[in-house]
Amino acid sequence: MKNRNAVLIFVLFISLTVFASKKSEDEKIEKILSQMTIEEKVGQMNQQNFNALDDNLINQLKNGQIGSLLNISDKTAIDKIQRIAKTESRLGIPLIMGRDVIHGFKTIFPIPLGQAASFNPSIVESGARIAAIEASSAGINWTFTPMLDISRDARWGRIAESLGEDTYLASILGAAMVKGFQTNDLSNPTSIASCVKHFVGYGAAEGGRDYNSTNIPPYLMRNVYLPTFEASIKVGAATVMTSFNDNDGIPSSGNKYLLRNILRDEWKFDGFVVSDWGSMEEMITHGFAKDRKQVAQLSANAGLDMEMQSGTYMENLPQLVKEGKVSVKVINDAVRNILRIKFRLGLFDKNYTEKNVPSEFYSPDHLLMAKKAAVQSAILLKNDNNTLPLKKGLKVAIIGPLADAPHDQLGTWVLDAEKSHTITPLKALQTDYPDVQYVYEPALAFSRDLNKEHFSKAVIAAQKSDVAIVFLGEESILSGEAHSLSNINLIGVQSELLEAVKSVGKPVVLVIIAGRPLTIERDLKNADAVLYIFHPGKMGGPAIMDLIFGKENPSGKLPVTFVREVGQIPMYYNHNNTGRPAIGRVTRLNEIPVEAIQHSLGNTSFYLDSGNEPLYPFGYGLSYSRFEYSNLSLSAQQIKMGDSITIRATLRNNSDVDGTEVAQLYVQDIVGSIIRPVKELKGFRRVLLKANESKVIEFVLSANDLAFWGLDRTLKAESGDFNVWIGGSSVAPLKATFTLIP
Ligand code: GLC
């Protein structure tokens, strides 16, 4: 009885504390709001791109016309700006300073797609934490990330910034990033506000062409594209950024259903919403608004709190309020949301010293974590005859344009780091493996280089060596924003270079450093081993060399499907079954008899030329260890709504090499009120196994984990039969079935 009372008192205390702090927060907001003129309120809704600390900017600051700046990362300038805003404007409201700190500020981590390949929330959180520590030391208190756009299209350049094709994985990793940036206290000096983007559906751009329209129907929106945002908002994401795209004819920046019904009414989001760069003004180009005044009216009424750089609010909102086209309440609510985050960040309390605070950039522990992230982001796709890891004593040829490319190795969205700090694979070999005899021949100056005149040098280098390591892939500019590709083969003449090196007859290790999954089927015949790493950041070189020489054992898994041909896109693992799935082997083009009869090839869903399977499936990745799954068991054959079921299996490392396996749990709801995918990831875990060690791994599934947005447009699990699989990829063989009863 005593314990029960103690718990009740504790809960009561916490509730009162939360209530009291919210009350005081609201009181602070209302106190300032009550003093503000309409111009000062609109000033808070105005974010400007920083150009220079000139008289014009200083006057705007003094007049309270700017609520935020983006693209400034100089501590001295930021301190000056904040001092002016706090001490020389009428109400002393500080600015929130935004920056794209996407995968590191100075210490650059792998691009988000690479981080996703680690299937490791804790390392993703650590990367965000380190980025926040470094960025906050420069006066930045808001980052425009995590990007939570689900992407099933490797033609889309921004797949590089995404966390891949799977909603469950991206939800968990996105939330980990939010926690890393924000900690559990936004007022912490090293906490910076996160910004979940791009709300919503941006990754479904038609044709993989950036900024293009999307056509996401309601069920897909609810079950695939919205959940990643909801998961991050549940852990306290401070801000949301609207996307450029229109979905089914409505641009996100003017989509009231998204910004008010879902974000505010359903999810109770209490941060603020910012537009993306020109996404508001572009509603004119979209054909959704006739002029800048209507842009401001539609956006404000839709619930868009802060305008990024296009200035339509400053120009039009006071007049729109006068005309009654935008209510004072709409303005007040927007300003409340902005002030709320500024208070939570502690911006009103922080002092601003006009001198550069010494920052611990590139500290050893930051570099160590960046290397760990890069190691865990690498995916071993092929390893014939155990070519890898390389044995000591071998003479090595280091070939290709990505072997020593300090700028490109960092990947997209690197605004504040210096390439001079990048450690490339060549540099890592030279410093960390001084005993290894090597010869280096890039043969190509950069990935798009078409000049083959140095191929002969690469061939000679391979002839002089026992093994060739060929570094190919993409320059960083070839992925990221506005960089879509309609052909995703290895660009230029890189495949020819690989073929020339392979013709020497020595073992070839292909290392691909890229911002997206490339179509590499044609290259596999010319490589005995393939290690794939999405732009690995600053410490990519040491990570790659430690993996190649066996100091590290690959553990990365594909966060996105690798297609055989670009024409297979979109192809992803959690697809619907269709009425005619092509199961098993299908007839391929060169097997079709001449004058074959109309229906002789089977009327099912596949390509005559590239079949019905990807090159590598979601969740796939090899190791130097040999992992085997067995003894799948269920704690029950049937469970009731509200119950849970435990799924177990034995995982054995049947090798003499310690290794980490990402064990994955997939579930299929066999019959639903709307069709459910053939399988969905519902659990994953990194499991370290010593040589010849076995462990029983288990996943606990609750009925809630089986919930989806069904025909009645509510989120709930439906009774019926479910398949479950456990394995090392989405084609896991171990399967069992259970039933969920009402
Ligand atoms: C860009 C991007 C967005 C970024 C913003 C600020 O256009 O779409 O992701 O955060 O502008 O740089």
Side-chain angles (χ1 to χ4, degrees), residues 318-373:
Q319 182 57 29
L320 284 163
V321 170
K322 281 192 188 111
E323 294 171 8
K325 292 177 179 171
V326 174
S327 70
V328 173
K329 181 180 184 312
V330 161
I331 303 293
N332 287 346
D333 286 347
V335 176
R336 285 188 181 99
N337 296 332
I338 294 165
L339 291 177
R340 187 171 302 116
I341 297 304
K342 291 188 174 183
F343 274 114
R344 287 181 186 166
L345 277 166
L347 298 186
F348 287 86
D349 311 323
K350 284 176 180 164
N351 296 320
Y352 295 91
T353 52
E354 289 182 20
K355 65 181 187 330
N356 250 319
V357 174
S359 308
E360 184 70 10
F361 296 147
Y362 304 118
S363 68
D365 60 331
H366 290 184
L367 298 179
L368 201 58
M369 191 57 77
K371 179 182 171 184
K372 190 176 169 188

Side-chain angles (χ1 to χ4, degrees), residues 281-302:
E281 188 181 22
E282 287 166 13
M283 290 200 284
I284 300 170
T285 314
H286 275 287
F288 193 71
K290 66 177 183 300
D291 55 28
R292 288 170 62 83
K293 186 174 181 182
Q294 192 183 15
V295 163
Q297 179 184 346
L298 290 171
S299 306
N301 287 330

Side-chain angles (χ1 to χ4, degrees), residues 437-511:
Q437 288 183 59
Y438 74 93
V439 56
Y440 169 54
E441 176 47 60
L444 294 168
F446 51 96
S447 65
R448 286 165 297 134
D449 186 2
L450 299 177
N451 176 1
K452 297 191 267 190
E453 67 179 300
H454 302 298
F455 277 24
S456 55
K457 293 179 190 169
V459 168
I460 292 166
Q463 285 166 341
K464 286 180 183 171
S465 306
D466 300 317
V467 59
I469 309 176
V470 186
F471 293 84
L472 306 175
E474 288 183 312
E475 294 151 80
S476 58
I477 194 66
L478 299 179
S479 62
E481 182 168 358
H483 302 154
S484 302
L485 285 171
S486 59
N487 178 332
I488 54 174
N489 295 339
L490 276 170
I491 202 155
V493 293
Q494 296 184 98
S495 292
E496 291 173 58
L497 171 61
L498 180 68
E499 190 171 20
V501 171
K502 184 60 189 161
S503 67
V504 168
K506 304 285 179 64
V508 171
V509 175
L510 171 59
V511 179

